[in-house]
Every structure is written in structure tokens, then in C-alpha cells.
Amino acid sequence: MKISAYATIFSGYNASGLALIARDDHGDLIQARTQYLPGMVSSIMAETLAIKEALSCIKSKGWSKVVVESDCLTVIQAIRSKTPMVSPLGRVVQSCRNMLVESNTVSLFFVKRSANMAAHELARLSCSFSDRVFDSISIPFEVQNVLERDLEF
């Protein structure tokens, strides 16, 4: 199983959006989620929150053997690092570290943005579809097209 996590900033709305897309080993959609966060946060904080949401989702569902993917190398490196961070971002990073330690069957990987396009597209739609959970029937058409293209490769 794989979860792609992505965040985007809506500077015109002073907000950010998160998206998670969970797929099975065949690439088929299990579940997708969006979250809309009013109030501007940095892109690094938004990406970290997206990973934290992915890890929280894994924990709440009881999933195991999951790969979490993000195209934000800075956040992946921060979470993998042992360096303490005394800041609001550091608290979210530490929360991610703790969840990874608790679930030793979850892996965190960096992927190029081109491998994360479905989550990217869903994050862009999070201002219209805020705080929603989707399945293969209800996923927005624009995201369904990207998911289908991913399966062709």
C-alpha cells in the first residue's frame, strides 16, 4: 500500500490545502482525503502537516506495510534526522518521528513531483472539496484522470 501526501498554498485565500491518496499494491484507489487549512502557513509546514495526516490516517485505520511518499525532500530529511527542532515546525516533525517509531512497518520516501501528480491535483481542489473523504466512485473527475494515467506506466 502507498499513500501520496501533498500540500499546496492558496496565497490569495490566506490558506493551505492538504491531500492524501491511498492506493493498493496494484495502484487502485483505496481512499483519498482533502483538508483545507485557513490561515497561512509556510509551504514546509503544510507539507509536514500532510505527512503527519498520512501517518495519523495509517494509525487510525490500523494499516501496516505502508509507504508514505512526498515530493518535499526538505521535510523528508527533517523527519529522518535526529536533530532536535525547537519551533512549531519542530513539534510537527517530532510528532511524525514518533508515529514512525510506533509503527515500524511504515516507510517514508521522497518521490519526484511527477510521481505525485494525483495528490498534487487533489490538493489544488481542496479549497473546493474541503475536508472530504473520497473513494473510487466519488473522487473528482480531474483526479480520476491522473490516477488512470498513472496506471498506464
Side-chain angles (χ1 to χ4, degrees):
M1 170 185 283
K2 170 174 74 171
I3 297 182
S4 300
Y6 190 81
T8 192
I9 302 296
F10 302 112
S11 55
Y13 295 103
N14 194 33
S16 53
L18 313 177
L20 308 175
I21 296 186
R23 300 183 220 189
D24 65 18
D25 294 334
H26 303 289
D28 295 323
L29 180 70
I30 296 171
Q31 184 181 81
R33 295 176 53 194
T34 59
Q35 189 172 3
Y36 182 78
L37 304 171
M40 183 62 76
V41 296
S42 71
S43 60
I44 298 298
M45 177 62 97
E47 292 285 355
T48 308
L49 289 169
I51 292 172
K52 181 181 179 231
E53 283 302 310
L55 295 170
S56 295
C57 179
I58 292 165
K59 183 177 179 178
S60 71
K61 298 277 187 189
W63 291 337
S64 63
K65 297 181 183 174
V66 182
V67 172
V68 176
E69 298 179 337
S70 171
D71 62 3
C72 188
L73 183 58
T74 303
V75 173
I76 300 293
Q77 290 172 332
I79 293 170
R80 287 183 176 166
S81 170
K82 303 269 189 245
T83 305
M85 299 171 65
V86 183
S87 65
L89 175 63
R91 286 191 292 277
V92 179
V93 166
Q94 188 59 50
S95 178
C96 292
R97 290 174 183 165
N98 294 343
M99 284 189 271
L100 283 168
V101 167
E102 289 171 15
S103 174
N104 60 3
T105 65
V106 177
S107 304
L108 183 61
F109 287 100
F110 167 76
V111 293
K112 293 182 180 179
R113 186 175 194 182
S114 60
N116 206 14
M117 290 307 293
H120 169 75
E121 185 64 32
L122 187 58
R124 287 183 47 231
L125 295 171
S126 65
C127 63
S128 300
F129 297 101
S130 62
D131 305 321
R132 297 267 306 269
V133 177
F134 302 96
D135 60 19
S136 59
I137 305 293
S138 61
I139 193 81
F141 178 76
E142 301 91 337
V143 179
Q144 182 64 39
N145 284 342
V146 177
L147 288 169
E148 288 172 5
R149 277 192 302 243
D150 286 351
L151 291 176
E152 294 173 3
F153 296 102

